[in-house]
C-alpha cells in the first residue's frame, strides 16, 4: 500500500520501505525522540497544512528540551514538511516529523550522537470515530511536570499515554482520561479536554499537559464565537457533571465526549461542541477567510 510513497530522511527522499534506522539507535532504547503530528486538508486552493508554523515551533522546542541541536533551520524543516506532502501527491492526511538521536556508542547520554530527522505523510481519516467518545479514567497518572518537560512532544512520554489508552481500550472505552499528580484532570492520551458549564467553557491550564495546537486554536474560535473561555484546574466530578465535554487534538480534531467511566454525560453531542466542530471544519477547509492565516497551502 505504501510502496509508492516517500519519506524525507536527513535531507532527501527515500522510498517508504528504505527509510530505516539501526537497532542501536539511541532514541529506540531511551525514548529520546522529538516529534510532531499535523493534519493537512483538501481545500479549493490545494492541500493546506493546519498551523504549520506552530507545529514546527513546538517540534524545535521539543528538540531543545532533549538538548538536540536541530540539524536544519526552521525554514528548511517547514519546507521539508510541505515537500513530503507534495512528493507523495497527497490531498489530505497526516504528517509525522521526528528528530531522534541516531546510533553510536550506546549509553544514556546522547553526547556526540548524530541527530537524524525523518518526515512521513499519509492519508488519515477520523481518529476517535464518528460517535461520542467513551472515556475511561486512567489508573496511570499523567507524567509529573517535574520529572520531564511535560509540555514537549517527546517519544518517551508516550509510554505513559500508550499504557493509558490500552487499559481503556481493553475495557471497551474509546480513550483514556488521565489525571495529573495532584488529582486534577489533565488530558486524554493524545487530546486536550474542555467542558461547558452554564455557557462558559473550561479547560485545564498548561501545567502537566501538552500545549495543544488545536487547544489554542479552538480557544480562539470559541472567543470569536462569543463564548467565555477559562483555564481552570478541573476535578473529575466537574467533568462528570458538565453540560458538555469535548476533546481536541490534531488527530481527534473536535470530538464530543458522551460517557466517562459508567457515567453518561448530560449531552452526547452538545450544542456548543457541535457549533465548534462545524466551525473547525470550515476553518480547516479554508472556507472562512479570516482564518486562512492558520493554513499553509502546499504548492
Ligand atoms: N495531548 C497529548 C498528550 C497529545 O499527544 C496531543 C497530540 N499532539 C494533544 C494533547 C493535542 O495536541 P495538538 O492539538 O497539538 O495535536
Amino acid at each position: 500500500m505504501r510502496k509508492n510513497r516517500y519519506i524525507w530522511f536527513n535531507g532527501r527522499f527515500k522510498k517508504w520501505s528504505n527509510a530505516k534506522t539501526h537497532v542501536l539507535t539511541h532514541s529506540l532504547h531511551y525514548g529520546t525522540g522529538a516529534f510532531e503530528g499535523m493534519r493537512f486538508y483538501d481545500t479549493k486552493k490545494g492541500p493546506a497544512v493546519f498551523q504549520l508554523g506552530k507545529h514546527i515551533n513546538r517540534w524545535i522546542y521539543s528538540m531543545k528540551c532533549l538538548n538536540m541541536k536541530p540539524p536544519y533551520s526552521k525554514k528548511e524543516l517547514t519546507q521539508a514538511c510541505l515537500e513530503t506532502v507534495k512528493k507523495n501527491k497527497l490531498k489530505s492526511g497526516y504528517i509525522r516529523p521526528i528528530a531522534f538521536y541516531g546510533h553510536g556508542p550506546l549509553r544514556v547520554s546522547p553526547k556526540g550522537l548524530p541527530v537524524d530527522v525523518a518526515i512521513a505523510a499519509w492519508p488519515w481519516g477520523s481518529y476517535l470515530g464518528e460517535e461520542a467518545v467513551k472515556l475511561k479514567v486512567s489508573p496511570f497518572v499523567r507524567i509529573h511536570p517535574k520529572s520531564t518537560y511535560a509540555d514537549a512532544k517527546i517519544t518517551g512520554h508516550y509510554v505513559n499515554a500508550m499504557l493509558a489508552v490500552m487499559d481503556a481500550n481493553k475495557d471497551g472505552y474509546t480513550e483514556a482520561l488521565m489525571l495529573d499528580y495532584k488529582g486534577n484532570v489533565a488530558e486524554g492520551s493524545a487530546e486536550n479536554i474542555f467542558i461547558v458549564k452554564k455557557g462558559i467553557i473550561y479547560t485545564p491550564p498548561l501545567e502537566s499537559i501538552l500545549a495543544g495546537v488545536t487547544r489554542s486554536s479552538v480557544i480562539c474560535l470559541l472567543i470569536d464565537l462569543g463564548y467565555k473561555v477559562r483555564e481552570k484546574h478541573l476535578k473529575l466530578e466537574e467533568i462528570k457533571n458538565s453540560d458538555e465535554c469535548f476533546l481536541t487534538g490534531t488527530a481527534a480534531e473536535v470530538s464530543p465526549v458522551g460517557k466517562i467511566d459508567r457515567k453518561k454525560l448530560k449531552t452526547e453531542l452538545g450544542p456548543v461542541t457541535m457549533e465548534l466542530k462545524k466551525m473547525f471544519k470550515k476553518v480547516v477547509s479554508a472556507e472562512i477567510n479570516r482564518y486562512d492565516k492558520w493554513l499553509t497551502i502546499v504548492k
Side-chain angles (χ1 to χ4, degrees), residues 55 58 153 158 187 189-192 210 212-214 248-250:
H55 282 287
R58 188 172 66 187
K153 213 166 156 60
Y158 285 80
E187 58 183 347
S189 73
E191 306 85 16
N192 295 115
L210 188 81
V213 170
T214 323
T248 66
T250 296

Side-chain angles (χ1 to χ4, degrees), residues 2 7 11 20 71 91 104 121 151 160 169 204 209 215 222-223 230-231 241 261:
R2 288 172 171 165
I7 292 178
K20 292 178 183 167
K91 284 195 169 141
D151 59 346
N160 181 229
N169 291 165
I209 62 171
R215 177 187 181 276
L222 287 165
I223 292 170
R230 299 201 177 131
E231 289 184 322
N241 294 319
D261 287 342

Side-chain angles (χ1 to χ4, degrees), residues 254 273-283 288:
V254 176
T273 309
M274 296 322 274
E275 184 186 7
L276 175 67
K277 198 172 161 64
K278 220 166 115 188
M279 172 121 169
F280 185 80
K281 185 145 200 283
K282 281 192 180 162
V283 169
I288 313 180

Side-chain angles (χ1 to χ4, degrees), residues 145-160:
K146 286 192 177 151
S147 297
T148 178
Y149 298 98
D151 59 346
K153 213 166 156 60
I154 291 173
T155 56
H157 293 176
Y158 285 80
V159 172
N160 181 229

Side-chain angles (χ1 to χ4, degrees), residues 251-280:
E253 300 169 301
V254 176
S255 292
V257 174
K259 206 173 169 194
I260 299 177
D261 287 342
R262 291 208 200 116
K263 172 114 168 61
K264 272 196 172 179
L265 300 190
K266 270 184 212 147
T267 46
E268 269 212 339
L269 308 173
V272 178
T273 309
M274 296 322 274
E275 184 186 7
L276 175 67
K277 198 172 161 64
K278 220 166 115 188
M279 172 121 169
F280 185 80

Side-chain angles (χ1 to χ4, degrees), residues 16-35:
W16 187 281
S17 50
N18 293 339
K20 292 178 183 167
T21 186
H22 197 275
V23 289
L24 293 183
T25 293
H26 186 277
S27 293
L28 179 63
H29 293 251
Y30 302 118
T32 52
F35 74 110

